[in-house]
Amino acid sequence: MRRRHAAFWLHAAVLVVFIGGSAAPSPLYARYAHEWGLGPIAVTAVFAVYAAAILVTLLITGSLADHLGTRPVLIAAIVLEIAAMLFFAGAASPAALIAARVIQGVATGATMSAAGAALMAFENPDRPAGSLLNSLASPIGLSSGAIGSSLLVGFAPAPAQVVYLTIAALLVVLGIPLALHPQTGGTLPWTPRSLVPRLRIPAAAVKTVATAMPVGAATWALGGFYLSLGPSIVRSLTHDPAVIIGGLALFALFFPAAIAVFAARRWSDRTTMLVGVTCLVTGVSVTALAVVSGSVLLYFAGTMVAGCGFGSGYSGALRVTLPLAEPHERAGMFSAVYVICYLGFSVPAVAAGALTTVVGLKTTTLVYGAALVAAAIPALIANLRPARTRRVAVATSTGSLRAVLGSTSS
């Protein structure tokens, strides 16, 4: 039992470091843009290739751990991530930065499904915490990665190198015990068709995924916007070019998200989702008002409220979907859930980058905020309905999704 407990926390640490590494380049985007003359489209393109690499990896290898086991998948991912960090440290052009981001996306995509499945397998059956840790990993990783990178960039020598070398060193430290700990998965037979891209949502989970994951996608759309353009917005409000300002803006979103995930662990599923959507709508609205009025304090206040929405909304979406997968379906289920989240994470952020060049950063922020609020309101209405009404609405609204996924969910 003690070894199982250690394996649980080791896989949690691996997941946090990988997700933290994904936020590490964000405080450096302004530096890259200045040195290489990159515009908003180029910056969001660098951001987008990472998300695209994750999506492709999740589709192709999302259930690989179900066939081979989690250990070989995670060791390979760590090797790839270390290579990506070395590419980042030596990057001297946008092409090198994009290459590093692609490698990082592949490594992170493989890790998210494999480590997430391992957390569910190694959790204490008397006190299950796999879903909680999977929910906490993203906001903890993103907040610590953003603020840690900002501090290193602001105060350490050779910041464009030391950030990535620090992450590489952490991965080496975690990779050694990972090779010695027990693994999970590896119960499904392997065939070449195992790599054919498809969404692997168990039949018992289709209905729940259809109603819960739009909220998860909306929360990640908020996170994607902040990670790609958030530092630029807060610098335009403060007129302060310091890197730490952009890092604080990201920390103000993701740290409250982590607190919200932890606080929501004792709430009902409905309450968690309702609080998440309400905070998301309120926080985004306040943030938009702050951009119009030019108020830095209001901007950070709105960001923190939106962060609570990110945490509780995302946590609620995972909590009601992940336990529906059987042990041999877990990695594939994580793949499908993360694909939905990362579509929300990447596509709107790229569109925002393109819109910025046409209407400017301020107007883009207002348009993006209005779109997020409009997307979240149906989920808010659905959670306010009486339980019986919601069940009828669910049965009606999931027909098209069942038709699309029915052939791949069994």
Side-chain angles (χ1 to χ4, degrees), residues 75-141:
I75 293 298
I78 287 175
V79 171
L80 277 178
E81 183 79 351
I82 292 173
M85 294 302 110
L86 297 179
F87 264 89
F88 275 123
S93 68
L97 189 63
I98 289 173
R101 259 321 216 179
V102 170
I103 297 171
Q104 184 184 35
V106 172
T108 305
T111 298
M112 291 173 76
S113 57
L119 286 176
M120 300 295 288
F122 290 125
E123 67 181 358
N124 185 340
D126 297 326
R127 299 180 63 184
S131 294
L132 175 64
L133 263 294
N134 274 299
S135 301
L136 279 170
S138 290
I140 289 178

Side-chain angles (χ1 to χ4, degrees), residues 314-329:
Y314 176 58
S315 171
L318 290 188
R319 200 166 75 187
V320 300
T321 55
L322 297 184
L324 300 177
E326 297 295 331
H328 66 279
E329 300 170 326

Side-chain angles (χ1 to χ4, degrees), residues 304-389:
M304 294 175 71
V305 174
C308 292
F310 180 102
S312 51
Y314 176 58
S315 171
L318 290 188
R319 200 166 75 187
V320 300
T321 55
L322 297 184
L324 300 177
E326 297 295 331
H328 66 279
E329 300 170 326
R330 282 172 179 158
M333 179 69 165
F334 273 95
S335 172
V337 167
Y338 281 128
V339 163
I340 295 170
C341 289
Y342 269 82
L343 282 172
F345 183 63
S346 57
V347 175
V350 175
L355 188 61
T356 299
T357 63
V358 179
V359 300
L361 189 59
K362 179 178 178 179
T363 303
T364 298
T365 303
L366 298 179
V367 172
Y368 199 97
L372 275 179
V373 170
I377 285 177
L380 178 61
I381 295 173
N383 277 279
L384 286 172
R385 291 176 184 171
R388 184 176 180 181
T389 304

Side-chain angles (χ1 to χ4, degrees), residues 37 73 83 92 166-167 171 174 187 199 240 266-267 275 325 340 351 353 367 379 386 409:
V73 174
T166 300
I167 296 172
L171 290 169
L174 292 172
T187 59
L199 294 177
D240 189 337
R266 300 188 187 280
W267 299 347
V275 170
I340 295 170
V367 172
S409 61

